[in-house]
């Protein structure tokens, strides 16, 4: 079951605080959305725990794990 969450994040490029709406699913996901201020691509990682709670992290395209 999907859920919409409003989250305040910091852009990894310009550092600006922006509000985003994130759709969480029952599985982990990764997607790219452009910053509303500097228009650079932000990579969103959403991990879902066993209890269904999402953990959201963002990074630039240049960062690797």
């Amino acid at each position: 079951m999907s859920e919409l969450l409003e989250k305040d994040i910091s852009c990894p490029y310009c550092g600006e605080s922006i509000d985003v709406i994130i759709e969480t699913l029952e599985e982990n996901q990764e997607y790219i959305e452009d910053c509303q201020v500097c228009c650079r691509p932000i990579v969103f990682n959403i991990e879902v725990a066993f209890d269904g709670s999402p953990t959201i992290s963002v990074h630039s395209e240049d960062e690797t794990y």
Side-chain angles (χ1 to χ4, degrees):
M1 182 166 145
S2 68
E3 178 182 354
L4 294 178
L5 296 175
E6 186 172 343
K7 183 82 173 163
D8 185 44
I9 62 144
S10 227
C11 174
Y13 297 101
C14 68
E16 199 67 36
S17 179
I18 56 175
D19 287 327
V20 294
I21 304 251
I22 297 171
E23 180 179 14
T24 59
L25 305 173
E26 293 179 0
E27 58 191 34
N28 295 343
Q29 57 184 320
E30 179 178 282
Y31 67 93
I32 297 174
E33 185 174 322
D34 290 342
C35 174
Q36 300 161 5
V37 178
C38 70
C39 299
R40 296 189 68 187
I42 302 171
V43 179
F44 286 78
N45 286 308
I46 295 100
E47 295 183 11
V48 181
F50 289 114
D51 66 0
S53 62
T55 302
I56 300 161
S57 62
V58 296
H59 61 89
S60 68
E61 265 192 324
D62 300 334
E63 293 179 52
T64 59
Y65 285 72

